[in-house]
Amino acid sequence: MSDRRPLPTGASYSITVRLYAEPSASVVGELATAVGKAGGLLTAIDVSESRPDRVTVDVTCSATNADHSVEIVEAMRAVPGVEVHRVSDRTFLLHLGGKIAVTSKVALKTRDDLSMAYTPGVGRVSMALARHPEDVAKLTIKGNSVAVVTDGSAVLGLGNIGPGAALPVMEGKAALFKRFADIDAWPICLDTQDTDEIVQVVKAIAPGFGGINLEDISAPRCFEIERRLRDILDIPVFHDDQHGTAIVVTAALTNALRCVAKQLADARIVVAGGGAAGTAIVTLLLSAGVTHVLVWDREGILSPHDLSLNSAKRGLAERTNPECVTGTLRDALQGADVFIGVSAPGVLDAAWIQEMAPNPVVFALANPDPEVDVDAARQLAAVMATGRSDYPNQINNVLAFPGVFRGLLDARAREVTTPMMLSAAEAIAGCVSDDQLNATYIIPSVFDPAVPTAVAAAVRGAAVG
């Protein structure tokens, strides 16, 4: 891996520093120079107050990480005549008070309003629903609501940090549901990691929701939780870490192979990571027609002969490695057309890409640090994708889950099926036209308004077809 620091390209580590400085025509330029020399990305400098004895300057800039932010502040502090008054982390400021809120869809300004929205009028609606429970989705929020459920055991790349620490992530997920599909989603952070308790709690709250989005639950428990909930509930259950990832990867791979004139059915694929995402990716790719897959994890290439594997990995090995191939990741890559990483930083040496088949496709999706040095890999791969926003071809689940649930809710679907997921992947891939398609544009932008609409229509069609 390279020792050099990547350029700060986003606002995730963005700070605003308020400084007091001696009145000087050159102080703004000196501060800008200090930020640049420290490797920061300057986005704004504002003189917010000017007095005879001092000026107040607000400097906003981006860093690569928290430690880099400190370096940048110290560089500004070293400018002669400058005093650092306050440092504000813009990401933390954005989260103050939470990111979502409940608003009423009806006016409550008069007694008439109150008598219809609440008692006594609401009683008539409740009695009607008691007689006709099939109308609950039509006359309540159930028809447009999703529960985003986590136990905090596998949050982003942060590990088992618990339900409270997971809440900002679930709030963000709810905000994405609203922004991209106009779905009302509710963060449900459970203070238990017991599989039976999670199943019972979700079963108990399910009547108020049109769908369940499981999120950031560790493998292999997530497999059993999803399976059991699908068996007992009459609303769709979707584990986004598994199926959302699988849908977007399938869409991106479809277009990547178009770029290199290879067919999905013929491609030799190596998946690094046999957890929730890796398992779902392999499962969907097999359903899409892939015939050659090897899965590598910390045990090596997963083989059905390896008795040390847990039941989930054993099942994965049996579906992908009938010849019981063993070895390292490098062994698996020999002559492979595609590498898909959903594992850990640094597991892939960029030099190994040269040992793959001609025009290799590399998806290094570990976040925030990919499996390979991206800059080095881009020199060797015909098509390169990551999970990051600061490189082309970001594989981002937001391309899938809003449209998937919009289609499920509109169709009043009771379950999520493989044909629905394949249709969603095809719809995402189809949002990139032949004229647009190239090695740096295999997947549409998350802000492309056509994506959720196309995905919703595809899922609806598969649900009623």
Side-chain angles (χ1 to χ4, degrees):
M1 298 291 287
S2 172
D3 293 331
R4 61 185 175 79
R5 178 160 44 209
L7 293 173
T9 56
S12 179
Y13 291 100
S14 180
I15 56 174
T16 296
V17 185
R18 171 154 288 190
L19 307 125
Y20 297 147
E22 296 174 358
S24 168
S26 64
V27 68
V28 170
E30 291 172 355
L31 288 169
T33 299
V35 171
K37 286 184 176 180
L41 179 65
L42 185 67
T43 54
I45 293 185
D46 300 296
V47 178
S48 58
E49 183 184 38
S50 179
R51 301 184 343 201
D53 59 329
R54 77 177 188 195
V55 292
T56 301
V57 184
D58 292 329
V59 179
T60 300
C61 56
S62 294
T64 57
N65 53 44
D67 291 338
H68 187 207
S69 297
V70 175
E71 293 178 30
I72 294 170
V73 172
E74 292 307 310
M76 288 188 280
R77 195 190 305 273
V79 174
V82 166
E83 174 191 348
V84 175
H85 173 61
R86 182 173 65 243
V87 180
S88 300
D89 186 311
R90 293 176 63 215
T91 297
F92 278 79
L93 289 176
L94 181 144
H95 283 78
L96 284 177
K99 301 188 292 291
I100 59 175
V102 175
T103 60
S104 177
K105 294 167 66 176
V106 298
L108 296 175
K109 298 179 179 178
T110 67
R111 286 181 177 271
D112 280 352
D113 295 337
L114 195 59
S115 68
M116 289 188 289
Y118 198 51
T119 187
V122 72
R124 294 175 52 220
V125 179
S126 292
M127 288 304 297
L129 294 180
R131 293 190 297 269
H132 300 285
E134 69 276 9
D135 289 337
V136 170
K138 182 170 64 176
L139 290 172
T140 71
I141 61 171
K142 179 184 178 75
N144 195 52
S145 66
V146 170
V148 182
V149 179
T150 189
D151 64 356
S153 61
V155 180
L156 299 178
L158 307 175
N160 188 354
I161 59 175
L167 184 54
V169 182
M170 302 309 116
E171 285 184 13
K173 197 81 173 196
L176 293 173
F177 268 111
K178 191 65 177 178
R179 165 64 175 81
F180 292 105
D182 196 26
I183 291 171
D184 297 312
W186 311 84
I188 308 293
C189 297
L190 303 179
D191 192 14
T192 177
Q193 294 183 0
D194 180 86
T195 296
D196 292 337
E197 288 187 358
I198 292 172
V199 170
Q200 289 305 310
V201 169
V202 176
K203 176 186 176 183
I205 66 172
F209 298 95
I212 304 294
N213 183 102
L214 300 177
E215 191 78 20
D216 293 345
I217 299 175
S218 62
R221 293 180 309 114
C222 60
F223 303 126
E224 181 181 355
I225 290 169
E226 182 191 32
R227 177 186 58 77
R228 288 172 59 181
L229 288 173
R230 286 188 170 191
D231 287 343
I232 62 178
L233 296 181
D234 62 354
I235 57 175
V237 178
F238 185 85
H239 186 199
D240 189 48
D241 301 312
Q242 293 186 65
H243 309 303
T245 304
I247 289 169
V248 182
V249 167
T250 301
L253 183 57
T254 299
N255 284 347
L257 292 176
R258 285 169 60 196
C259 285
V260 297
K262 296 182 182 181
Q263 301 298 314
L264 200 61
D266 300 327
R268 303 184 68 87
I269 299 173
V270 175
V271 175
T279 299
I281 289 168
V282 169
T283 300
L284 197 61
L285 288 177
L286 292 174
S287 298
V290 169
T291 56
H292 304 284
V293 186
L294 287 178
V295 181
W296 174 89
D297 210 315
R298 67 191 68 180
E299 300 89 348
I301 299 172
L302 298 188
S303 167
H305 282 180
D306 187 349
L307 301 180
S308 69
L309 298 179
N310 61 38
S311 59
K313 288 185 178 179
R314 175 75 62 82
L316 194 55
E318 289 171 349
R319 289 186 291 142
T320 57
N321 189 4
E323 297 177 356
C324 302
V325 175
T326 59
T328 65
L329 177 58
R330 186 175 184 178
D331 294 328
L333 287 170
Q334 300 303 305
D337 297 289
V338 178
F339 168 83
I340 300 172
V342 279
S343 53
V347 300
L348 174 64
D349 187 323
W352 300 346
I353 297 173
Q354 299 174 92
E355 301 168 14
M356 297 174 66
N359 297 317
V361 172
V362 175
F363 289 1
L365 307 182
N367 237 338
D369 299 315
E371 283 82 358
V372 67
D373 182 319
V374 178
D375 292 323
R378 291 173 69 187
Q379 304 303 312
L380 301 170
V383 181
M384 178 80 199
T386 71
R388 295 173 59 122
S389 61
D390 51 352
Y391 289 102
N393 298 329
Q394 184 190 20
I395 307 296
N396 192 324
N397 286 16
V398 76
L399 286 164
F401 70 82
V404 167
F405 270 100
R406 181 73 276 157
L408 292 169
L409 294 172
D410 291 348
R412 297 288 186 260
R414 298 168 64 92
E415 61 180 344
V416 184
T417 65
T418 297
M420 292 177 188
M421 292 189 284
L422 289 173
S423 295
E426 183 179 354
I428 295 169
C431 287
V432 179
S433 69
D434 290 339
D435 291 339
Q436 295 172 314
L437 181 67
N438 62 68
T440 60
Y441 193 76
I442 60 171
I443 201 79
S445 164
V446 296
F447 294 105
D448 184 341
V451 175
T453 302
V455 172
V459 171
R460 274 196 310 273
V464 301

